[in-house]
Amino acid sequence: MNLDFSITPKQRLFIETDAFEVLYGGAAGGGKTFVQALDALLYALKYQGSRQLILRRTYKELERSMVPQTLALYPARVARYNASRHVWTVGRSTIEMGYIATEGDVQQYQSAEYDVIRFDEMTHFTDTQYKYMISRVRGVNPFPKHVKCTANPGSVGHQNAKERFIDIGAPMQVHACEGGGRLFIPAKLEDNPFLMESDPQYEERLKNLPHDIYMALREGNWDYYVGQYFTEFKREKHVVWPFEIPDYWRRYVAIDYGLDMLAAYWIAVDEADNAVVYREVYEPNLIIPEAAKRLREANGDEYITAWFAPKDLWNRRQETGQSAADIFAEEGVYLDQVSNGRVHGWYELKRRLQPVRDEFGVVKPRLRFFSTCTNLIRTLPALQHDEKHPNDCATEPHEITHAPDAIRYFCDGCPLPASVPGMRDEDYLSYEEEFADVMDY
């Protein structure tokens, strides 16, 4: 059977690759939805009896994008669409249209088996949703198994996509990873000459967008994305190699505690109110005595000016009359309560991330991070604006909020800068004493 379609070299690679996981994405207008729909049809025709699933967050999103794309693309002589079941039948093969709006929605696929699962806009799905659905790619038939994704930078799954596909190595080549090979195919507007020819003003309209959104949608730059809260964060400016911290710098610890995660950070502040995060503890499933022991072990004999923690740790439990802060104190960790004003804390963190010029003319941010604080560096740039409260950060996905919340408590605690130790009279050497070994009397 002959099907006459024009495709680009990158779209051909997406269709023909043997990699288990594939992401075709980046800039808007790169022909992602088209190639996802076409690849599903070609796979269904080639592997008769196969089962595929195309996912969006909601059926409304499917009806705006993938459904009209497939209806326009699939010839009636080879494919039939059941609108009530949202399923294409291609001979003995099926292409199912599905949705995952909430974390619980993955359970509807608990016993399902698919040869290929396709995430149309992968970044709209959380890390948990994506990883669960990978487990549904299985079966005893000999058909090749794939997870094929398309996406633009941004939304709740941005960090997951970046870590799985962009940060692992160079694009356009398959990288061996746990679970199978992964391939990232960067999509640019220039890769879709069909759109540029049919709508030459599309690129000009993109230029009207704010800079960060333009960089994400036009350039496909994964360091920018739509909805990112801390656009100030730049890895090359804020992440530094560990260095020896002067003894006189004030030291603070900020913690975010829950049974699901203990996120604790040691921060040193110099005399000019510049701060560096130099130590990280990021561990789940620790009850309070275990968490306190872990903090004491990590701290050693360092003197800490204050241990900042949110005020909800002072809520007393009805059954015991004790608060979490009380139990920490019994274990030798004495916490200092901060106001937990979310927006104020985030704004103060934004201020510290802004680069400023110091007394020597060097421009650098007031808050930097040792490269060893990997979870903080991973999660801080992944925070998004809350859709209902745009001045606040979104609280989902929850896993990425622990480390930034801890740093927010540090900012909200109004830490004091260090005091430069004064020199005593006996610390000063006279001119003659300092140069006695070189002077000839």
Side-chain angles (χ1 to χ4, degrees), residues 15-59:
I15 293 169
E16 296 180 351
T17 181
D18 293 329
F20 174 63
E21 288 183 73
V22 188
L23 172 61
Y24 181 77
K32 300 182 296 295
T33 302
F34 166 80
V35 73
Q36 188 76 279
L38 176 60
D39 186 34
L41 175 63
L42 296 177
Y43 185 97
L45 289 169
K46 184 175 182 179
Y47 300 105
Q48 280 294 295
S50 62
R51 297 189 63 200
Q52 299 181 75
L53 173 65
I54 301 177
L55 288 168
R56 286 294 297 254
R57 289 283 289 183
T58 65
Y59 274 135

Coordinates of all heavy atoms in Angstrom, one line a residue, residues 15-59:
I15 N 10.6 8.3 13.1 CA 9.8 7.2 12.6 C 10.7 5.9 12.6 O 10.2 4.8 13.0 CB 9.2 7.4 11.2 CG1 8.1 8.6 11.3 CG2 8.6 6.2 10.7 CD1 7.7 9.1 10.0
E16 N 11.9 6.0 12.2 CA 12.7 4.8 11.9 C 13.6 4.4 13.0 O 14.2 3.3 13.0 CB 13.5 5.1 10.7 CG 12.7 5.3 9.4 CD 13.6 5.5 8.2 OE1 14.8 5.7 8.3 OE2 13.0 5.5 7.0
T17 N 13.8 5.2 14.1 CA 14.7 4.9 15.1 C 14.4 3.6 15.9 O 13.2 3.3 16.0 CB 14.8 6.0 16.2 OG1 15.8 5.7 17.2 CG2 13.5 6.3 16.8
D18 N 15.4 2.9 16.4 CA 15.2 1.7 17.2 C 15.2 2.1 18.7 O 15.0 1.2 19.5 CB 16.3 0.7 16.9 CG 16.2 0.1 15.5 OD1 15.0 0.0 15.0 OD2 17.2 -0.2 14.9
A19 N 15.4 3.3 19.1 CA 15.5 3.7 20.5 C 14.2 3.4 21.2 O 13.1 3.6 20.6 CB 15.9 5.2 20.6
F20 N 14.3 3.0 22.4 CA 13.1 2.7 23.2 C 12.3 4.0 23.5 O 11.1 4.0 23.4 CB 13.4 1.9 24.5 CG 12.3 1.7 25.4 CD1 11.2 0.9 25.0 CD2 12.2 2.3 26.7 CE1 10.1 0.7 25.8 CE2 11.2 2.1 27.5 CZ 10.1 1.3 27.1
E21 N 13.0 5.0 24.0 CA 12.4 6.3 24.4 C 12.9 7.3 23.4 O 14.1 7.5 23.2 CB 12.7 6.7 25.8 CG 12.1 5.9 26.9 CD 12.4 6.4 28.3 OE1 11.9 7.5 28.6 OE2 13.2 5.8 29.0
V22 N 12.0 8.1 22.9 CA 12.3 9.1 21.9 C 11.6 10.4 22.3 O 10.4 10.4 22.6 CB 11.9 8.7 20.5 CG1 12.5 9.7 19.5 CG2 12.4 7.3 20.1
L23 N 12.3 11.5 22.2 CA 11.6 12.8 22.4 C 11.9 13.7 21.1 O 13.1 13.9 20.8 CB 12.1 13.5 23.6 CG 11.6 15.0 23.8 CD1 10.1 15.1 23.9 CD2 12.2 15.7 25.0
Y24 N 10.9 14.1 20.4 CA 11.0 15.0 19.3 C 10.4 16.3 19.8 O 9.2 16.4 20.0 CB 10.2 14.5 18.1 CG 10.3 15.3 16.9 CD1 11.5 15.3 16.1 CD2 9.2 16.1 16.5 CE1 11.5 16.1 14.9 CE2 9.3 16.9 15.3 CZ 10.5 16.9 14.6 OH 10.5 17.7 13.4
G25 N 11.2 17.3 20.1 CA 10.6 18.5 20.6 C 11.6 19.7 20.7 O 12.7 19.6 20.3
G26 N 11.0 20.7 21.2 CA 11.8 22.0 21.4 C 10.9 23.1 20.9 O 9.9 23.5 21.6
A27 N 11.2 23.7 19.8 CA 10.5 24.9 19.3 C 9.0 24.6 18.8 O 8.7 23.5 18.4 CB 11.2 25.5 18.2
A28 N 8.2 25.6 19.0 CA 6.8 25.4 18.5 C 6.9 25.5 16.9 O 7.7 26.1 16.3 CB 5.9 26.6 19.0
G29 N 5.9 24.8 16.3 CA 5.8 24.8 14.9 C 6.8 23.8 14.2 O 7.0 23.9 13.0
G30 N 7.3 22.8 14.9 CA 8.3 21.9 14.4 C 7.7 20.7 13.7 O 8.4 19.8 13.3
G31 N 6.4 20.6 13.6 CA 5.7 19.5 13.0 C 5.6 18.3 13.9 O 5.6 17.1 13.4
K32 N 5.5 18.5 15.2 CA 5.5 17.4 16.1 C 4.3 16.5 16.1 O 4.3 15.3 16.1 CB 5.8 17.9 17.6 CG 7.1 18.7 17.7 CD 7.4 19.1 19.1 CE 6.4 20.2 19.6 NZ 6.4 21.4 18.8
T33 N 3.1 17.2 16.2 CA 1.8 16.4 16.2 C 1.7 15.7 14.9 O 1.2 14.5 14.9 CB 0.7 17.4 16.4 OG1 0.9 18.1 17.6 CG2 -0.7 16.7 16.4
F34 N 2.1 16.2 13.8 CA 2.0 15.6 12.5 C 2.8 14.3 12.5 O 2.3 13.2 12.1 CB 2.4 16.5 11.4 CG 2.7 15.8 10.1 CD1 1.6 15.5 9.2 CD2 4.0 15.4 9.7 CE1 1.8 14.8 8.0 CE2 4.2 14.8 8.5 CZ 3.1 14.5 7.6
V35 N 4.0 14.3 12.9 CA 4.9 13.1 12.8 C 4.4 12.1 13.8 O 4.5 10.9 13.6 CB 6.4 13.5 13.0 CG1 6.7 13.9 14.4 CG2 7.2 12.4 12.5
Q36 N 3.9 12.5 15.0 CA 3.4 11.5 16.0 C 2.2 10.8 15.4 O 2.1 9.5 15.5 CB 3.0 12.3 17.2 CG 2.6 11.4 18.4 CD 3.8 10.8 19.1 OE1 4.3 9.8 18.6 NE2 4.2 11.3 20.2
A37 N 1.3 11.5 14.7 CA 0.1 10.8 14.1 C 0.5 9.9 13.0 O 0.0 8.8 12.8 CB -0.9 11.9 13.7
L38 N 1.4 10.4 12.1 CA 1.9 9.6 11.0 C 2.6 8.4 11.4 O 2.4 7.3 10.9 CB 2.8 10.5 10.1 CG 3.4 9.8 8.8 CD1 2.3 9.2 7.9 CD2 4.3 10.7 8.1
D39 N 3.5 8.5 12.4 CA 4.3 7.4 12.9 C 3.3 6.3 13.4 O 3.5 5.1 13.2 CB 5.3 7.8 13.9 CG 6.2 6.7 14.3 OD1 6.5 5.8 13.5 OD2 6.6 6.7 15.5
A40 N 2.3 6.7 14.1 CA 1.3 5.8 14.7 C 0.6 5.0 13.6 O 0.4 3.8 13.7 CB 0.3 6.5 15.6
L41 N 0.2 5.7 12.5 CA -0.4 5.0 11.4 C 0.5 4.0 10.7 O 0.2 2.8 10.5 CB -0.9 6.0 10.4 CG -1.5 5.5 9.1 CD1 -2.7 4.7 9.4 CD2 -1.8 6.6 8.1
L42 N 1.8 4.4 10.5 CA 2.7 3.5 9.8 C 3.0 2.3 10.6 O 3.2 1.2 10.1 CB 4.0 4.3 9.5 CG 3.9 5.5 8.5 CD1 5.2 6.2 8.3 CD2 3.4 5.0 7.1
Y43 N 3.2 2.5 11.9 CA 3.4 1.4 12.8 C 2.2 0.4 12.8 O 2.4 -0.8 12.8 CB 3.7 1.9 14.3 CG 4.1 0.8 15.2 CD1 5.4 0.6 15.5 CD2 3.1 0.0 15.9 CE1 5.8 -0.4 16.4 CE2 3.5 -0.9 16.8 CZ 4.9 -1.1 17.1 OH 5.2 -2.1 18.0
A44 N 1.0 0.9 12.9 CA -0.2 0.1 12.9 C -0.3 -0.7 11.6 O -0.7 -1.9 11.6 CB -1.4 1.0 13.1
L45 N 0.0 -0.1 10.5 CA 0.0 -0.8 9.2 C 1.1 -1.9 9.1 O 0.8 -3.0 8.7 CB 0.2 0.1 8.1 CG -1.0 1.1 7.8 CD1 -0.6 2.2 6.8 CD2 -2.2 0.3 7.3
K46 N 2.3 -1.6 9.6 CA 3.4 -2.6 9.5 C 3.2 -3.7 10.5 O 3.5 -4.9 10.1 CB 4.7 -1.8 9.7 CG 5.9 -2.7 9.6 CD 7.2 -1.9 9.7 CE 8.4 -2.7 9.5 NZ 9.7 -1.9 9.6
Y47 N 2.8 -3.5 11.7 CA 2.7 -4.5 12.7 C 1.2 -4.8 13.0 O 0.7 -4.3 14.0 CB 3.5 -4.1 14.0 CG 4.9 -3.8 13.7 CD1 5.4 -2.5 13.7 CD2 5.8 -4.8 13.5 CE1 6.7 -2.2 13.4 CE2 7.2 -4.6 13.3 CZ 7.6 -3.3 13.2 OH 8.9 -3.0 13.0
Q48 N 0.6 -5.6 12.1 CA -0.8 -5.9 12.3 C -1.1 -6.6 13.6 O -0.4 -7.6 13.9 CB -1.3 -6.7 11.1 CG -1.6 -5.8 9.9 CD -2.8 -4.9 10.1 OE1 -3.9 -5.4 10.3 NE2 -2.5 -3.6 10.1
G49 N -2.1 -6.1 14.3 CA -2.4 -6.7 15.6 C -1.8 -5.9 16.8 O -1.9 -6.3 17.9
S50 N -1.0 -4.9 16.5 CA -0.4 -4.1 17.5 C -1.4 -3.2 18.2 O -2.4 -2.9 17.7 CB 0.8 -3.3 16.9 OG 0.2 -2.3 15.9
R51 N -1.0 -2.7 19.4 CA -1.8 -1.8 20.2 C -1.0 -0.6 20.6 O 0.1 -0.7 21.1 CB -2.3 -2.5 21.5 CG -3.2 -3.7 21.2 CD -3.8 -4.2 22.5 NE -4.7 -3.1 23.1 CZ -5.0 -3.0 24.4 NH1 -4.5 -3.9 25.2 NH2 -5.8 -2.1 24.8
Q52 N -1.5 0.6 20.3 CA -0.9 1.8 20.6 C -1.8 2.7 21.4 O -3.0 2.6 21.3 CB -0.4 2.6 19.4 CG 0.6 1.8 18.5 CD 0.9 2.6 17.3 OE1 1.7 3.6 17.3 NE2 0.4 2.2 16.1
L53 N -1.2 3.6 22.2 CA -1.9 4.6 23.0 C -1.3 5.9 22.8 O -0.1 6.1 23.0 CB -1.9 4.2 24.5 CG -2.5 5.2 25.5 CD1 -4.0 5.3 25.3 CD2 -2.2 4.7 27.0
I54 N -2.1 6.9 22.5 CA -1.7 8.3 22.4 C -2.3 9.1 23.5 O -3.6 9.1 23.7 CB -2.1 8.9 21.0 CG1 -1.5 8.2 19.8 CG2 -1.7 10.4 21.0 CD1 -1.9 8.7 18.5
L55 N -1.5 9.8 24.3 CA -2.0 10.4 25.5 C -1.9 11.9 25.5 O -0.9 12.5 25.0 CB -1.1 9.9 26.7 CG -1.4 8.5 27.2 CD1 -0.3 8.1 28.2 CD2 -2.8 8.4 27.8
R56 N -2.9 12.6 26.0 CA -2.9 14.0 26.4 C -3.4 14.1 27.8 O -3.9 13.2 28.3 CB -3.7 14.8 25.4 CG -3.1 15.0 24.0 CD -1.9 15.9 24.0 NE -2.0 17.2 24.5 CZ -2.0 18.3 23.7 NH1 -1.8 18.2 22.4 NH2 -2.2 19.5 24.2
R57 N -3.4 15.3 28.3 CA -3.9 15.5 29.7 C -5.4 15.3 29.7 O -5.9 14.8 30.7 CB -3.5 16.9 30.2 CG -2.1 17.1 30.5 CD -1.7 16.5 31.8 NE -2.2 17.2 32.9 CZ -1.9 16.9 34.2 NH1 -1.2 15.9 34.5 NH2 -2.4 17.6 35.2
T58 N -6.1 15.8 28.7 CA -7.6 15.7 28.7 C -8.1 15.4 27.3 O -7.4 15.5 26.3 CB -8.3 17.0 29.2 OG1 -8.0 18.1 28.2 CG2 -7.8 17.5 30.5
Y59 N -9.3 14.9 27.3 CA -9.9 14.6 26.0 C -10.1 15.9 25.2 O -10.0 15.9 23.9 CB -11.3 13.9 26.1 CG -11.2 12.4 26.3 CD1 -11.9 11.7 27.2 CD2 -10.3 11.7 25.4 CE1 -11.8 10.3 27.3 CE2 -10.2 10.3 25.5 CZ -11.0 9.6 26.5 OH -10.9 8.3 26.6

